[in-house]
Amino acid sequence: MKTKAYKNYDEELFTEVLDNGLTVNLLPKAGYHKTYAVFTTNFGSLDNQIKVDGQTVTIPAGTAHFLEHKMFEKEDYDAFDLFSKNGADANAFTSYSRTSYLFSTTVNLKENLNNLLDFVQRPYFSAKSVAKEQGIIGQEIQMYNDDPDWQSYMGILKNLFPNHAMGQDIAGSINSISEITPEVLYQIHELAYRPSNMNLFVVGGFDVKEVLDWIKDNQNKKHFENKVVELSNNQNDNLQSDGADIIREAQQVGMVQRPKVMIGLRGLKPLPAKGIARLKYIMELDLALYLLLSSSSQSYLELYDKGILDDTFGYELNAERDIYYLTISGDTNNPDDFKQKIEQVLKNGVDQLKDQDQEFELAQKEMIGRSITKMNSIEAIANSFEGEWYGNSTVFDEADLYQTIKFEDVQKAFADFISGNMISTFQTNSRGDQK
C-alpha cells in the first residue's frame, strides 16, 4: 500500500492497486462519523468505441448515461432500496469522461460498501427494462430540448466541437438510444467496467486496514475476464488544430424573455502530458480568467456599470481528458454589444493582465482558500479526484500547487490559450427578436 502524507493539512491518503487492477484510495478523517464513497469507471459519453483484442466495438451515443440509469435495477431487488435499508443515501452521475456511483452513510459501512461494489459489478438487463428506460430517457432528452439554458450550452458545444462527441448530449439522442439493447449493455459493461478501468475513493471516519480488507474480500469472490481493452474516440481526428472547423456563429429561437448569448473558445494548444503539469496549466488558465472575467475584475465592473452585462453573466473553464474549453454566458437586451465587448476583453487580455500583479496575489489567495474550504467536505474531497489524467491529484495537491504558480505562468497560460484562437458565439432569441 502506498501512502501520501499531506503534512500541511494533517491528512494522509492510502492507495493500493488490487490484484484484479482496481485502484482503491482511502482517506480516513479522525473525528468524522460520516463516510462517503465513490466508485468510478473511466467511461463517459466521449467514448464511442472500444478496441478489444484487436477488434473495434462501436458504442451508441448515450450508452454511458444509459448504463448509469440501469445499474441500480436488478432482477430481484433495487440497489437504492438496499442503501436506504442500511441507512445510506446513494446517487450516480455521468460526465463526458467518467461515470460515478456513490453513497454517504454514518452506519453499516461494510454492508453499504459491499452493495456499492456488487450492484456496479453485477449487471442485470432485460429487454423489458431496457425498453422502459428508453422511454424514460427519451422524455428526459425531450425535457432538456425544451430548456433554453441547456440548449444554449449545447449550441455552443456544437459550434466548438462539430462532428464530435463533445458536441452531443451526454444522454445521446432518441435515435441513438434506440440502438441500445441488453446485449449491447452487457458487452459494454464487461469491457468498460473492468476493475483496471475503475477506482474507488472512500473518505470519512473508518479504519483503513479494516475497510481495505472488506474491499479485498469482496473483490476476491469475483472473476473478471482478462482482455486487452482500449477506450477511444474515433472523432478526435476531426478536431482541427488551427480551429478552422469551429462554427463561428449560430442562432436559434427559444422560449426566452430576452436574448441569451453564449461565447466559446476551444483549447487549440495540446495540453501537457497526463499528470500534475496538466492540472497546473488548467489552474493557471483559470486564474487568468478569474482576473479578466470574475465579478471582481475591472472588465466586469466596467461592463456592469454600462448595463452591458448583469447578474446572469458567468463563465466556466472545463477540461475533459485531452480537451479543454471556455464558455461565457449572459442574458442581455443588447446581444451585439455583449458579444463585441466580451470579445474585446479576450483579445486584449494579454495586455490587460500585464498590470495585474497585485490582483493576481489576491486571486491566488482566493483560490487557495477555496481549496482549503473543500477540505472540510468529504464529498468535495472524493468528487474532485480526477485519476491519472491529472496526476491522481486531490484537493490537498491543488492547494499546494496554487502556491507554486507565478504571475508569469498565468500570463503565459492565457497567451497560449488565446493566440490564434477562434471565438464562437451562439445566440438564443425570443420570438419577438426573430429577424
Side-chain angles (χ1 to χ4, degrees):
M1 180 188 297
K2 294 182 180 179
T3 61
K4 185 172 185 179
Y6 297 100
K7 296 181 180 180
N8 291 338
Y9 314 106
D10 194 25
E11 301 283 2
E12 194 167 15
L13 177 66
F14 299 84
T15 302
E16 182 159 338
V17 179
L18 305 188
D19 291 340
N20 65 9
L22 175 65
T23 298
V24 179
N25 294 285
L26 304 175
L27 199 150
K29 292 184 73 70
Y32 273 65
H33 295 291
K34 186 167 74 170
T35 297
Y36 182 78
V38 184
F39 195 20
T40 297
T41 176
N42 180 36
F43 174 62
S45 65
L46 276 177
D47 303 301
N48 59 22
Q49 65 178 20
I50 295 181
K51 295 179 181 178
V52 52
D53 294 338
Q55 295 185 335
T56 299
V57 177
T58 300
I59 304 172
T63 298
H65 174 260
F66 202 103
L67 263 172
E68 176 223 312
H69 273 232
K70 290 304 304 166
M71 291 306 301
F72 287 89
E73 183 182 348
K74 305 304 178 184
E75 184 175 12
D76 54 356
Y77 77 97
D78 188 289
F80 277 120
D81 292 339
L82 279 187
F83 281 119
S84 180
K85 289 177 181 178
N86 284 308
D89 292 323
N91 212 331
F93 65 86
T94 304
S95 73
Y96 285 100
S97 57
R98 61 178 175 170
T99 308
S100 294
Y101 303 86
L102 54 95
F103 75 83
S104 62
T105 189
T106 58
V107 294
N108 302 319
L109 179 57
K110 181 178 181 180
E111 291 80 2
N112 285 307
L113 271 174
N114 280 326
N115 186 29
L116 176 67
L117 294 167
D118 289 346
F119 94 83
V120 173
Q121 292 183 324
R122 293 173 174 167
Y124 169 76
F125 312 114
S126 68
K128 182 178 179 180
S129 66
V130 168
K132 177 182 176 182
E133 197 63 40
Q134 286 168 333
I136 293 172
I137 294 180
Q139 291 178 345
E140 180 182 332
I141 292 170
Q142 188 58 53
M143 179 184 69
Y144 279 108
N145 286 341
D146 295 333
D147 183 336
D149 288 317
W150 181 252
Q151 284 305 300
S152 294
Y153 182 67
M154 290 308 305
I156 198 65
L157 289 188
K158 290 175 183 176
N159 279 7
L160 295 176
F161 302 96
N163 305 312
H164 192 274
M166 276 298 307
Q168 299 174 354
D169 195 311
I170 289 174
S173 67
I174 292 177
N175 286 337
S176 69
I177 65 172
S178 69
E179 301 173 16
I180 296 175
T181 65
E183 292 74 24
V184 167
L185 295 177
Y186 276 119
Q187 181 183 33
I188 301 304
H189 179 276
E190 179 188 4
L191 301 176
Y193 280 64
R194 67 196 187 283
S196 59
N197 195 48
M198 303 188 74
N199 71 78
L200 174 66
F201 200 112
V202 187
V203 55
F206 56 83
D207 178 86
V208 170
K209 183 180 183 306
E210 183 178 47
V211 167
L212 185 59
D213 286 344
W214 292 343
I215 296 168
K216 286 182 176 179
D217 183 60
N218 179 285
Q219 294 299 283
N220 288 337
K221 294 175 182 176
K222 299 172 183 175
H223 173 72
F224 301 92
E225 292 292 333
N226 184 20
K227 295 182 178 181
V228 179
V229 178
E230 178 188 354
L231 288 162
S232 62
N233 187 303
N234 62 2
Q235 300 164 334
N236 284 336
D237 293 339
N238 295 334
L239 297 179
Q240 298 182 27
S241 59
D242 60 356
D245 57 318
I246 293 173
I247 298 171
R248 299 297 299 275
E249 185 176 2
Q251 295 190 15
Q252 70 173 5
V253 175
M255 297 296 292
V256 295
Q257 295 295 320
R258 54 185 180 144
K260 290 181 178 292
V261 175
M262 293 287 296
I263 296 173
L265 290 90
R266 186 178 86 208
L268 302 181
K269 179 181 177 180
L271 286 168
K274 291 180 183 179
I276 290 293
R278 175 172 294 193
L279 174 64
K280 184 172 183 284
Y281 175 77
I282 294 297
M283 292 167 63
E284 291 165 354
L285 182 54
D286 198 33
L287 270 167
L289 296 170
Y290 182 87
L291 293 172
L292 294 173
L293 296 170
S294 73
S295 58
S296 60
S297 68
Q298 180 182 350
S299 300
Y300 177 93
L301 295 174
E302 289 178 357
L303 296 178
Y304 188 93
D305 288 341
K306 293 178 181 178
I308 294 175
L309 53 81
D310 58 22
D311 293 339
T312 63
F313 179 84
Y315 73 94
E316 186 172 10
L317 177 65
N318 292 279
E320 300 280 357
R321 297 180 182 165
D322 293 322
I323 293 171
Y324 62 113
Y325 60 97
L326 168 67
T327 58
I328 304 168
S329 62
D331 298 353
T332 176
N333 291 321
N334 302 294
D336 290 338
D337 285 346
F338 182 95
K339 289 184 283 188
Q340 181 184 13
K341 295 300 183 183
I342 296 302
E343 287 186 20
Q344 285 179 0
V345 171
L346 295 171
K347 290 178 178 179
N348 298 332
V350 173
D351 290 333
Q352 189 173 330
L353 285 172
K354 290 178 180 178
D355 301 322
Q356 297 200 41
D357 51 330
Q358 293 183 349
E359 290 86 348
F360 161 72
E361 293 180 4
L362 292 174
Q364 187 179 38
K365 291 177 181 177
E366 167 72 17
M367 295 303 181
I368 293 171
R370 290 183 185 183
S371 294
I372 292 174
T373 299
K374 287 182 184 178
M375 297 175 193
N376 296 320
S377 167
I378 59 175
E379 292 85 359
I381 291 171
N383 290 339
S384 64
F385 182 73
E386 292 286 352
E388 64 175 346
W389 290 91
Y390 292 88
N392 294 309
S393 62
T394 65
V395 294
F396 309 105
D397 294 299
E398 289 179 16
D400 287 340
L401 201 55
Y402 271 123
Q403 299 180 53
T404 69
I405 295 176
K406 297 179 173 57
F407 182 46
E408 51 265 32
D409 298 332
V410 172
Q411 292 175 285
K412 184 177 185 304
F414 182 78
D416 290 343
F417 177 67
I418 201 68
S419 177
N421 213 324
M422 301 289 179
I423 295 175
S424 176
T425 64
F426 186 88
Q427 183 173 325
T428 303
N429 298 312
S430 66
R431 301 190 188 282
D433 293 321
Q434 191 174 11
K435 296 180 181 179

